[in-house]
Amino acid sequence: MLRPMRLFLGVFLSGSAFLAGSLFLGCVGVQASEKPRARDIGVAPGYLKPGALNAITDVSGVRVGHVTLIEGDDIRTGATAILPHGGNIFQGKVPAGFSVANGFGKFMGATQIDELGEIETPIVLTNTLNVPEAAAGVIEWTLDQEGNERVASVNAVIGETNDAGLNDIRKRRLTPADARAAIEKASAVPRDREKGEGERVAEGAVGAGTGTIAFGFKGGIGTSSRILVKELGGYTVGVLVQANFGGALIVDGVAVGEALNQFYLQDHADRGDADGSIVIIIATDAPLSDRNLKRLANRSFAGLARTGSSFTNGSGDYALAFSTAKEVRRTKKRRDRASDIRELPNNRFSPLSQAVIEATEEAILNALFAAVDMTGVNARTGEASSVKALPLEKVQEILNNAPSTK
């Protein structure tokens, strides 16, 4: 039985050469590619329904902003900011949970999240050597917010992956101003859900995903969401990933990496080909405690495994989940005195687990599907580097010829 393909790739790729070239015209911007997302060609992991945007921004109040830095032949990096809500995050902290599958990385702010179970700043993703600059931008932005005039301690939350395969990471190009600009771009996104306002999140080689590589193909930023039916609470789970890791790519149950002859240990040698990292950011409007948010973060790694990740020694695999529900938001009033907080009980957690697994898997696939071919500089060798995007026409052929798994 052949897999149903909802749309033909030719509809999307007819202008791809021009669009890929236009990516290099400006230092700061977003990828303009009209390539299909995974669901556009029938790749729809799981069985739960996605949100209207099929993005982390389907969770009410969540906003995303990118700053993309593509300069000369060697700078391929950027920053991606995720805002849990549009207000003063420091004064309206959100509960959060943090999980580590493999700790080869530099996730700033993680210990305080583990200790207090909350986030008080925007989350910014960037490259490994620019974590300090990103943190400076987050701190400056937070201190400047109205109501924070007496704030003397800020726990900036910064995730990273190493984009040295395409970016001259040693130049440490990202500045605090760039990180702050990503936050401000996110702040400017309209979020009036009742009026139908909102924007699709740019994916692929944008923001913190500009120089990333996944499964030997061009990686990047990807996002997806799932909505539970009313009988299960009607809650939304949204995921955004910075995909920069390796393994043997599986697309909706089909061993695509092996079919393309591009997979980890294919020649039985471990050259560190699967090293890299992934950061998984999870948002939900379910009123979860920080303990259950940590459980939700844990479950996202099942979605990562479904895509064929090898979880190697050199791959930093992190997940951070937060809740936007006002019932559990930690305002100053609630922090200063005992209060009754309405949170979802343990026995209603399981549907959210399924939702985050599905959304994580699809977000990773969307990062790969949206990416474009890219040239740059390998900072480890100092030589020119070129990485191809996942060949979608070949992928579609492989999927069409594979037995149905559904």
Side-chain angles (χ1 to χ4, degrees):
M1 180 178 177
L2 298 183
R3 293 169 163 255
M5 294 292 110
R6 298 179 185 169
L7 294 170
F8 291 101
L9 285 173
V11 174
F12 294 93
L13 300 182
S14 59
S16 61
F18 168 76
L19 290 168
S22 69
L23 179 63
F24 294 89
L25 294 180
C27 293
V28 179
V30 297
Q31 180 173 312
S33 173
E34 294 297 326
K35 294 179 68 177
R37 305 180 81 193
R39 191 166 290 264
D40 293 331
I41 64 167
V43 179
Y47 46 82
L48 297 177
K49 180 181 177 181
L53 297 171
N54 193 15
I56 193 172
T57 47
D58 284 315
V59 178
S60 182
V62 176
R63 310 176 186 201
V64 175
H66 299 298
V67 164
T68 301
L69 300 173
I70 298 177
E71 299 170 354
D73 61 3
D74 61 349
I75 299 300
R76 306 285 184 269
T77 195
T80 295
I82 303 98
L83 276 62
H85 58 78
N88 186 324
I89 302 169
F90 191 91
Q91 300 299 336
K93 305 178 199 297
V94 296
F98 182 70
S99 184
V100 181
N102 190 64
F104 197 109
K106 296 84 186 166
F107 202 108
M108 181 176 284
T111 57
Q112 186 167 313
I113 295 172
D114 259 346
E115 185 69 22
L116 302 182
E118 62 190 26
I119 293 172
E120 62 189 25
T121 72
I123 302 157
V124 171
L125 309 180
T126 189
N127 75 65
T128 304
L129 296 188
N130 274 135
V131 169
E133 287 73 26
V138 169
I139 291 169
E140 290 172 6
W141 183 87
T142 301
L143 293 178
D144 284 346
Q145 298 305 295
E146 185 177 355
N148 294 350
E149 291 80 8
R150 294 185 179 278
V151 170
S153 175
V154 176
N155 185 46
V157 181
I158 313 296
E160 57 78 29
T161 71
N162 196 310
D163 57 16
L166 284 167
N167 175 49
D168 190 352
I169 196 170
R170 290 175 57 87
K171 286 190 174 180
R172 303 179 67 232
R173 167 61 183 83
L174 190 93
T175 66
D178 294 323
R180 184 164 181 162
I183 298 171
E184 290 169 351
K185 284 175 182 286
S187 300
V189 175
R191 298 302 307 146
D192 191 333
R193 186 63 66 183
E194 291 184 1
K195 295 181 180 179
E197 295 177 339
E199 293 183 4
R200 173 177 164 181
V201 176
E203 299 175 290
V206 296
T210 302
T212 63
I213 301 168
F215 297 107
F217 302 104
K218 182 68 191 72
I221 297 293
T223 189
S224 183
S225 68
R226 293 294 187 275
I227 299 178
L228 300 182
V229 296
K230 184 177 180 181
E231 292 78 6
L232 297 175
Y235 301 117
T236 301
V237 175
V239 173
L240 180 144
V241 300
Q242 180 188 17
N244 189 46
F245 62 100
L249 176 62
I250 298 171
V251 177
D252 209 11
V254 177
V256 168
E258 292 182 53
L260 293 173
N261 196 34
Q262 174 67 53
F263 57 95
Y264 180 52
L265 298 183
Q266 66 189 95
D267 57 1
H268 308 291
D270 180 4
R271 304 184 304 273
D273 294 347
D275 290 347
S277 289
I278 182 170
V279 179
I280 303 169
I281 305 299
I282 304 150
T284 184
D285 56 7
L288 297 180
S289 65
D290 53 85
R291 178 181 55 79
N292 272 328
L293 286 164
K294 184 178 182 71
R295 296 176 73 202
L296 193 67
N298 283 334
R299 302 308 193 271
S300 71
F301 295 127
L304 173 59
R306 286 185 179 187
T307 67
S309 169
S310 294
F311 293 87
T312 60
N313 174 70
S315 181
D317 304 319
Y318 298 99
L320 173 62
F322 62 85
S323 172
T324 65
K326 291 183 179 179
E327 302 97 300
V328 293
R329 190 168 298 175
R330 299 176 180 184
T331 61
K332 187 177 188 303
K333 180 179 179 181
R334 284 178 173 167
R335 292 197 305 273
D336 288 347
R337 65 183 185 184
S339 63
D340 294 328
I341 294 179
R342 297 177 58 197
E343 62 183 45
L344 210 64
N346 292 337
N347 62 7
R348 293 183 62 189
F349 173 83
S350 296
L352 297 168
S353 176
Q354 179 66 30
V356 78
I357 291 170
E358 291 186 13
T360 300
E361 181 181 5
E362 188 167 351
I364 292 167
L365 296 179
N366 281 337
L368 286 158
F369 274 52
V372 294
D373 296 352
M374 182 167 286
T375 60
V377 167
N378 188 317
R380 297 181 180 90
T381 66
E383 298 176 352
S385 178
S386 180
V387 178
K388 293 288 186 181
L390 185 66
L392 297 188
E393 291 178 331
K394 291 183 180 179
V395 170
Q396 186 178 42
E397 181 181 352
I398 293 166
L399 295 177
N400 279 334
N401 291 328
S404 175
T405 59
K406 294 188 176 180

